[in-house]
Amino acid sequence: MSESVTALPSYASGTSEVPLLGDTIGDNLDRTLAAFGDRDALVERATGRRWTYRELAAEVDLLARGLLAAGIGKGDRVGIWSPNRAEWIFTQYATAKIGAILVNINPAYRVHELEYVLNQAGVRLLVAAKAFKTSDYAGMIEEVRPTCGALRRVVLLDTPQWTELLESGNGVGQDRLAAAQAALSADDPINIQYTSGTTGFPKGATLSHHNILNNGFFVGELCGYTEADRICIPVPFYHCFGMVMGNLAATSHGACMVIPAPAFEPKATLAAVQAEGCTSLYGVPTMFIAELAEDDFDSYDLSTLRTGIMAGSPCPVEVMKQVIERMGMHEVTICYGMTETSPVSTQTRADDSLDLRVSTVGRAHPHIEVKIVDPATGLTVPRGVQGELCTRGYSVMLGYWEQPDKTAEAIDAARWMHTGDLAVMDEQGYVGITGRIKDMVIRGGENIYPREIEEFLYGHPDILDAQVIGVPDQKYGEELMAWVRMRPGAEPLTAERVREFCTGKLAHYKIPRYVHVVDEFPMTVTGKIRKVEMRERAVGILGLG
């Protein structure tokens, strides 16, 4: 019999003795309140404000009643445009309680993107910060308001508008809120998250209570969370990493959410872990790199840390080793996912070896199926063979908001979500991400996956971080360009020195022809590297126009 027939297919399903939750988010929060009312629920380090679960639930219910008083009900869209703060969380849970659909708006958006999202989602009420850093949110909102027909009311935080919205909740009885909550199904849409589309306008992934509550819960289960855990969340709430893997993982287990700062600051994050005795810390690799690089890193007491999550992009081996050895996060897990899958589809387990935690993104999540298919034929490939990663289960989004054509491109007839990521599954079912289908570089007919070269460059003693892209080339079609960040005090690298480092260790066609030294990479707010922007800028830098 031929090997292709006997080899196991690249398919796995996540088994679990723990059943899926059938709750709505509001009902689940009420259960946690009943069990852990006096325990810490939320700490906001920037203001020193703190809430127990009883106090958090009271804030959420008051805001939910205020939204009802404002005429907001089931299915209405409520936008939130703010950096991380307590009011973001109040709004997240208050909208869930009444069945309004929370529309997460990226804090980095400018006028053009804001206008698009408000109109595409049909946002009726917008909760927003007045300003943050260089962004004048209030000014931008006024600029787009005349063209946003659905928008009836804007509520700016830290103004009388917010106080009025809350106070109006006093005029609505708790029985009316209870009736609104009782009329909800766990399968109702509850959240629209706009994916940072690399081309064209972003698409609104529409997620249900069932999608995100269960995903947050099972992320927490695999981190071993109980009511004794305290989770430091420096990743943005507007993204699934913050609001699902952070907030919902916490509230479904009675754990405490700690907001170290409105946006990521390495020192504030380390200080929050120390001051609050955090047991878990989240971040994308670039955040952990920044924390470890702090001059006074060793002065922070991080001894309470046990676990945490690294996600968003592949984790370099050296970074993972330091997170375990220097930060004490011996049970740190790697998660893989995308907004359209609520987000997590695979996760490493606390007892997985260091090698598995850096070379893979773990195994299928509980109640989730994953498979790897040939992108051309759609057939499942044998284990060990690269293909496109697909995932199916409770976590797959309802669809892109009012874009059935785009939904059909991403989710096939059998409800498999096609991720666009290239991956390999090993004999034990562990999945390794090998690149993006769109990131693949074709140089003179050779398919090159930048991830392999980036991992190799991390081994250079002077390189702190590296990203590899393809740039246009007349002879080969594409050539490789490495963008590198240097370690403090290191001499900037030339292409010649990088070539010397690579020669004899990498195939000649995998050696970057161009090297560009930068202080930072262009990034999304969630810490994902914007390779599309790097490619655009590279054309100008190299004079390839």
Side-chain angles (χ1 to χ4, degrees):
M1 200 178 270
S2 70
E3 200 173 285
S4 61
V5 176
T6 56
L8 269 178
S10 294
Y11 168 89
S13 62
T15 57
S16 177
E17 292 179 4
V18 180
L20 287 166
L21 303 176
D23 288 346
T24 61
I25 289 168
D27 288 349
N28 187 262
L29 182 63
D30 289 347
R31 284 184 216 290
T32 300
L33 163 65
F36 307 114
D38 295 327
R39 294 197 70 92
D40 285 353
L42 175 60
V43 176
E44 186 180 74
R45 291 275 301 162
T47 61
R49 296 184 296 169
R50 317 173 76 86
W51 294 262
T52 62
Y53 268 100
R54 185 164 284 105
E55 291 161 344
L56 172 65
E59 293 272 7
V60 166
D61 282 6
L62 182 61
L63 176 56
R65 299 201 312 269
L67 290 170
L68 289 173
I72 298 296
K74 179 178 176 179
D76 287 330
R77 274 78 69 204
V78 173
I80 175 97
W81 195 27
S82 160
N84 286 13
R85 53 182 294 167
E87 286 77 9
W88 209 111
I89 293 176
F90 302 160
T91 307
Q92 175 183 347
Y93 288 88
T95 48
K97 279 237 165 182
I98 63 171
I101 300 174
L102 184 71
V103 180
N104 302 7
I105 303 174
N106 186 329
Y109 274 1
R110 314 309 297 172
V111 172
H112 178 58
E113 297 144 317
L114 173 67
E115 181 180 33
Y116 172 78
V117 164
L118 291 176
N119 281 319
Q120 206 275 330
V123 170
R124 282 192 63 192
L125 184 148
L126 175 62
V127 175
K130 287 186 292 186
F132 183 63
K133 292 187 177 173
T134 59
S135 293
D136 174 11
Y137 292 160
M140 285 191 268
I141 292 165
E142 283 311 304
E143 197 175 327
V144 304
R145 222 173 159 170
T147 59
C148 296
L151 188 61
R152 297 279 181 271
R153 185 168 174 183
V154 174
V155 178
L156 295 177
L157 299 171
D158 304 315
T159 72
Q161 295 171 346
W162 175 255
T163 311
E164 286 161 17
L165 178 64
L166 285 178
E167 287 178 351
S168 68
N170 290 316
V172 174
Q174 192 70 25
D175 55 341
R176 188 173 157 202
L177 172 58
Q181 195 173 327
L184 305 181
S185 158
D187 295 315
D188 290 335
I190 201 63
N191 185 214
I192 298 175
Q193 299 201 25
Y194 282 87
T195 61
S196 45
T198 48
T199 55
F201 281 109
K203 302 184 287 285
T206 307
L207 303 165
S208 67
H209 296 267
H210 195 66
N211 286 150
I212 59 177
L213 175 60
N214 276 293
N215 204 258
F217 174 70
F218 280 102
V219 164
E221 287 289 287
L222 293 190
C223 288
Y225 288 158
T226 70
E227 69 275 13
D229 280 291
R230 302 173 73 80
I231 309 167
C232 184
I233 312 173
V235 293
F237 290 156
Y238 94 85
H239 187 264
C240 271
F241 202 168
M243 70 164 283
V244 178
M245 298 157 70
N247 300 346
L248 285 166
T251 60
S252 60
H253 288 87
C256 178
M257 302 166 278
V258 176
I259 307 174
F264 175 64
E265 296 170 29
K267 278 192 192 313
T269 303
L270 295 168
V273 171
Q274 174 175 290
E276 292 299 326
C278 292
T279 57
S280 178
L281 171 61
Y282 287 7
V284 296
T286 49
M287 290 180 176
F288 286 103
I289 289 169
E291 289 153 12
L292 290 159
E294 282 295 324
D295 293 341
D296 59 348
F297 174 85
D298 290 323
S299 69
Y300 293 95
D301 178 3
L302 310 178
S303 59
T304 52
L305 281 177
R306 167 182 69 80
T307 187
I309 296 175
M310 211 182 293
S313 56
C315 172
V317 179
E318 287 308 311
V319 177
M320 178 59 99
K321 280 184 183 164
Q322 289 194 53
V323 165
I324 291 171
E325 289 164 14
R326 296 180 65 203
M327 300 179 99
M329 293 168 60
H330 297 284
E331 297 175 26
V332 66
T333 71
I334 297 285
C335 287
Y336 163 82
M338 59 195 305
T339 306
E340 291 88 338
T341 56
S342 302
V344 177
S345 297
T346 69
Q347 187 171 353
T348 58
R349 306 322 199 237
D351 57 354
D352 282 338
S353 68
L354 174 66
D355 181 54
L356 283 171
R357 283 188 270 180
V358 292
S359 62
T360 79
V361 290
R363 291 175 282 146
H365 230 237
H367 306 286
I368 298 291
E369 297 173 276
V370 295
K371 68 174 179 177
I372 295 171
V373 303
D374 181 321
T377 65
L379 296 175
T380 305
V381 299
R383 295 207 179 186
V385 175
Q386 178 176 268
E388 182 185 15
L389 181 61
C390 299
T391 179
R392 179 168 71 177
Y394 76 82
S395 63
V396 174
M397 66 175 177
L398 301 176
Y400 292 118
W401 183 258
E402 296 193 339
Q403 290 188 295
D405 54 332
K406 295 279 190 264
T407 304
E409 288 171 18
I411 302 173
D412 67 26
R415 289 291 298 167
W416 285 98
M417 177 78 207
H418 289 250
T419 66
D421 284 315
L422 293 164
V424 174
M425 184 182 292
D426 72 10
E427 293 301 319
Q428 281 70 49
Y430 285 86
V431 174
I433 303 297
T434 51
R436 287 285 295 164
I437 290 175
K438 290 174 183 165
D439 280 349
M440 185 177 78
V441 178
I442 305 175
R443 180 194 182 276
E446 298 279 4
N447 290 357
I448 304 170
Y449 298 98
R451 171 97 165 94
E452 177 193 354
I453 302 159
E454 290 160 1
E455 279 290 350
F456 178 77
L457 292 176
Y458 281 124
H460 192 291
D462 294 339
I463 291 178
L464 183 65
D465 205 351
Q467 296 294 325
V468 173
I469 56 171
V471 295
D473 185 77
Q474 283 197 319
K475 183 176 179 183
Y476 294 108
E478 283 186 289
E479 262 293 4
L480 292 175
M481 179 183 190
W483 289 39
V484 296
R485 291 172 57 214
M486 308 303 299
R487 291 194 182 281
E491 287 283 310
L493 283 172
T494 61
E496 190 53 48
R497 282 178 57 206
V498 169
R499 192 173 297 116
E500 285 170 17
F501 178 70
C502 297
T503 299
K505 302 187 189 86
L506 284 181
H508 71 89
Y509 63 87
K510 295 180 184 175
I511 298 174
R513 178 174 174 187
Y514 307 106
V515 174
H516 180 51
V517 177
V518 294
D519 292 328
E520 55 187 24
F521 303 120
M523 283 190 179
T524 67
V525 178
T526 49
K528 287 188 178 175
I529 310 292
R530 281 189 50 79
K531 287 199 170 181
V532 172
E533 188 178 328
M534 288 168 63
R535 283 190 282 268
E536 289 168 357
R537 282 163 55 176
V539 169
I541 292 165
L542 301 173
L544 301 173

